[in-house]
Amino acid sequence: MKKNVRWRFILIGITALLSIIFFLPSTPVFQSMPEWWKKNMPNKGITLGLDLQGGLHLVFEVEGEKAVDVTAERIAASLKEILEKKGLKAEVKKDALGITISPANNEIKKAVEDNYPILTLIDSGGGRFLYRLSDKEINRIKDSSADQALETIRNRIDQFGVSEPTIHRQSTNEIVVQLPGVKEPKRAIEVIGKTALLEFKLLDDENPIAAQLPASVLPGDEEKLIREFGPKIPIEDEILFERVVNKETGRVTKRVYLVKKQTLMTGDLLTEARVNIDTRFNEPYVSISFNPAGAKLFEQITAANIKKRLAIILDGNVYSAPVIQDRISGGNAQITGTFSMDEAKDLAIVLRAGALPAPMKILQNVTVGPSLGRDSIDAGVKAGIIGAILVIAFMIFYYKLSGLIADFALVLNILLLLGAMASLNATLTMPGIAGVILAIGMAVDSNVLMFERMREEIRAGKTPRAAVDSGYDKAFLTIVDSHVTTLITAAVLFQFGTGPIKGFAVTLGLGVAINLFTALIGTKTVFDLINSRREVKKLSI
């Protein structure tokens, strides 16, 4: 008996000690700990949620129609190649109506329907076919683009370094992002929302129009320039701009380029993007690497266009346009520009995390200040202290020494719960605090159940030791039943809930599981320890 009690006592001591160690990083005391402790012991505590420490609440709308348009454009380009390979002369054009193919004959129709059954023939009059993507395919693309956007955002935020973000789909095309504790909200929004479509295109320097274009314009004058030169520009070219910052004056201008519309290569062949420092000018640049297919294609492009300028374009903005001096093999390239270290890091992040399948626009942008959370924490701490004092006083007043033992279990319960949350680096939110309070309430209720059974046994004439054993035996099933049903509820909430609901489920689930330990093992161990040391003639309860 004594040996059994000793081992249970040791188990309680070890769990309490581990809880303290895991919870330390959540307290100001951790900052004063020695460096060896910070390096070798747990250093991530409980993270406060958006409602407690402030941060960003964003709602994005994924523009699925853009993804549908991009898909239609790719299909049109593919159909053009397919028809050419079959020796069929046809004009394939993608416009607002759909994909138009002329002339209209059975050979072309068969080739289209054999290769792209997802296209629906809308009209065949006027010597041309008009195809559109089927409704089923359009819905699939929109749904898929929202899923891809969700995954891309998650990757970008992970690399951005935000702890415990909340990211989930709110509807078919809306994504909710919550970033607690973000210090640079504007930068975070730019990283998340950047489409990151990386393209490599040749400049059309040989065209006489290129010489007529100004070298640069002021920001805001881009549209004016495009309107002025638009009618003169060949249909296969376009005007793009590069942002240039004068290092001495800080003046921003837009360098003008005449670029061929044809995309030679895109960023989907990238495998790596990282920031390096150019030792000559002490400036950051982004080094990128391609997969084997990309490396081969990049080598072919550079070999075929030596002495020409290749524009590296991200989301329609030119980042650099170096002259190709020689064939570039090995699958590596550089993106240079007049960006800061943070801008270079953000560019590397969006390239590594992949491009968004479609642009997104912000529907809701709410910056939550930490003051509300601080008020909530202060009020919660105040209410918790008052509630704890009242509960402790009531238990001692009503159950005397046994009530004091129940209070010990209550403190142990809170300590283990905080330690468990810290070990999981869980996020504490207002609903999470509600879960903690509910679990503590259940802990008190468990002790009341056992003590009342023990009182019944004492009134029936049993000895204190027999009354304790019998009281625990009789209350055991009732306590386990109530806790297991609550645990199932917490599991369901965690599985199907989102954001704060999950936080509530986590704290409630942990609290209930720990409560079983403290109620059935913690207090029983204390009673057994008292009874094992001396003959107790009267139980203080």
Side-chain angles (χ1 to χ4, degrees):
M1 177 71 178
K2 286 184 178 179
K3 188 176 180 181
N4 184 280
V5 172
R6 188 185 307 122
W7 279 113
R8 278 187 279 156
F9 197 77
I10 292 173
L11 177 64
I12 293 171
I14 291 174
T15 52
L17 181 62
L18 286 175
S19 298
I20 292 171
I21 292 173
F22 277 110
F23 184 61
L24 262 181
S26 308
T27 68
V29 177
F30 186 74
Q31 298 303 324
S32 59
M33 300 296 288
E35 284 302 317
W36 65 266
W37 179 283
K38 294 179 182 177
K39 288 182 180 177
N40 300 298
M41 303 303 279
N43 54 19
K44 292 182 179 178
I46 297 173
T47 304
L48 297 181
L50 188 71
D51 52 352
L52 295 181
Q53 66 167 322
L56 267 180
H57 174 91
L58 302 165
V59 179
F60 288 99
E61 182 187 37
V62 181
E63 298 182 56
E65 289 294 341
K66 295 286 186 184
V68 174
D69 283 344
V70 170
T71 303
E73 286 176 1
R74 288 178 179 169
I75 290 176
S78 174
L79 278 175
K80 192 174 182 181
E81 291 183 10
I82 290 170
L83 295 177
E84 284 177 359
K85 287 180 181 177
K86 288 181 176 292
L88 300 172
K89 291 184 178 179
E91 183 183 356
V92 183
K93 187 171 63 175
K94 160 71 179 69
D95 55 25
L97 296 175
I99 300 174
T100 304
I101 305 174
S102 58
N105 59 51
N106 289 334
E107 283 184 291
I108 291 177
K109 183 179 179 185
K110 186 174 185 307
V112 172
E113 293 176 354
D114 284 348
N115 288 277
Y116 287 101
I118 56 175
L119 294 177
T120 301
L121 182 61
I122 303 298
D123 188 14
S124 58
R128 51 103 169 123
F129 291 127
L130 177 60
Y131 287 96
R132 282 182 188 167
L133 288 166
S134 65
D135 292 341
K136 182 180 177 182
E137 182 64 12
I138 290 173
N139 291 332
R140 188 199 66 77
I141 293 170
K142 289 182 177 177
D143 188 61
S144 174
S145 62
D147 281 341
Q148 288 179 42
L150 186 72
E151 194 59 32
T152 303
I153 289 172
R154 185 171 287 120
N155 289 338
R156 290 181 181 181
I157 291 174
D158 285 347
Q159 298 192 36
F160 191 68
V162 178
S163 176
E164 295 294 329
T166 300
I167 310 161
H168 62 89
R169 282 180 69 173
Q170 185 168 257
S171 62
T172 54
N173 63 342
E174 290 181 6
I175 295 175
V176 175
V177 179
Q178 290 186 338
L179 307 175
V182 167
K183 301 292 189 299
E184 300 173 279
K186 185 179 177 183
R187 184 183 165 201
I189 293 171
E190 288 178 353
V191 169
I192 295 170
K194 190 170 282 187
T195 309
L197 175 60
L198 181 66
E199 299 172 288
F200 294 83
K201 297 181 178 181
L202 285 175
L203 267 61
D204 194 4
D205 290 330
E206 297 172 359
N207 193 302
I209 299 296
Q212 299 177 25
L213 291 171
S216 63
V217 295
L218 293 174
D221 289 344
E222 296 95 327
E223 291 297 326
K224 181 181 175 184
L225 181 75
I226 291 174
R227 281 198 303 272
E228 180 183 351
F229 286 89
K232 306 176 186 174
I233 295 174
I235 192 168
E236 67 272 12
D237 289 350
E238 61 184 336
I239 295 176
L240 294 179
F241 302 90
E242 177 188 358
R243 181 175 178 271
V244 180
V245 181
N246 188 302
K247 293 178 184 176
E248 296 180 355
T249 64
R251 184 168 177 262
V252 178
T253 56
K254 292 293 187 76
R255 190 172 291 159
V256 184
Y257 295 102
L258 184 65
V259 182
K260 290 182 179 292
K261 286 183 180 176
Q262 184 188 6
T263 302
L264 302 177
M265 192 174 175
T266 59
D268 58 339
L269 302 173
L270 276 181
T271 58
E272 178 62 21
R274 58 184 179 276
V275 178
N276 288 323
I277 301 294
D278 187 334
T279 54
R280 293 172 300 170
F281 307 106
N282 197 29
E283 291 180 343
Y285 67 91
V286 178
S287 172
I288 56 178
S289 302
F290 300 107
N291 61 22
K296 184 178 179 182
L297 179 59
F298 193 65
E299 184 176 357
Q300 291 172 352
I301 291 170
T302 52
N305 297 285
I306 292 174
K307 301 302 178 188
K308 293 182 180 177
R309 288 202 289 172
L310 182 69
I312 302 173
I313 302 161
L314 185 71
D315 293 342
N317 298 305
V318 177
Y319 270 74
S320 57
V323 177
I324 302 172
Q325 300 292 353
D326 202 352
R327 175 199 299 261
I328 301 176
S329 59
N332 296 309
Q334 295 179 3
I335 302 178
T336 57
T338 56
F339 31 60
S340 64
M341 179 57 81
D342 280 345
E343 289 172 337
K345 286 180 180 177
D346 293 347
L347 177 59
I349 287 174
V350 297
L351 291 175
R352 279 199 304 269
L356 288 172
M360 298 192 304
K361 64 180 179 183
I362 298 177
L363 297 181
Q364 191 176 7
N365 176 4
V366 179
T367 302
V368 181
S371 57
L372 178 62
R374 175 51 56 191
D375 292 344
S376 301
I377 293 173
D378 293 343
V381 170
K382 187 177 179 182
I385 292 173
I386 294 173
I389 291 173
L390 290 175
V391 169
I392 288 171
F394 172 78
M395 293 299 285
I396 294 175
F397 171 77
Y398 199 70
Y399 292 109
K400 302 180 178 61
L401 179 62
S402 298
L404 190 62
I405 295 173
D407 291 337
F408 157 74
L410 187 62
V411 173
L412 182 64
N413 193 306
I414 296 172
L415 179 63
L416 296 187
L417 179 55
L418 292 175
M421 290 179 64
S423 68
L424 298 173
N425 194 24
T427 300
L428 184 63
T429 60
M430 286 299 288
I433 293 175
V436 172
I437 293 171
L438 180 57
I440 291 172
M442 291 184 69
V444 176
D445 190 46
S446 300
N447 285 290
V448 170
L449 275 173
M450 289 184 294
F451 292 170
E452 289 303 319
R453 298 292 84 75
M454 289 160 65
R455 277 182 168 177
E456 289 174 1
E457 297 302 315
I458 290 173
R459 283 196 290 269
K462 289 189 176 180
T463 63
R465 176 175 293 180
V468 169
D469 292 340
S470 184
Y472 271 89
D473 289 343
K474 287 187 176 180
F476 178 80
L477 285 179
T478 305
I479 294 172
V480 170
D481 282 350
S482 65
H483 282 63
V484 168
T485 51
T486 308
L487 206 55
I488 292 172
T489 305
V492 172
L493 287 174
F494 182 81
Q495 179 65 32
F496 298 104
T498 57
I501 303 298
K502 279 198 171 186
F504 175 78
V506 168
T507 53
L508 180 61
L510 286 174
V512 168
I514 291 168
N515 188 30
L516 281 173
F517 174 76
T518 56
L520 300 178
I521 297 178
T523 53
K524 183 70 165 50
T525 301
V526 178
F527 278 116
D528 287 345
L529 190 66
I530 294 172
N531 287 324
S532 66
R533 289 182 175 275
R534 60 187 176 89
E535 185 68 27
V536 179
K537 295 182 179 178
K538 185 180 178 183
L539 187 62
S540 177
I541 187 168

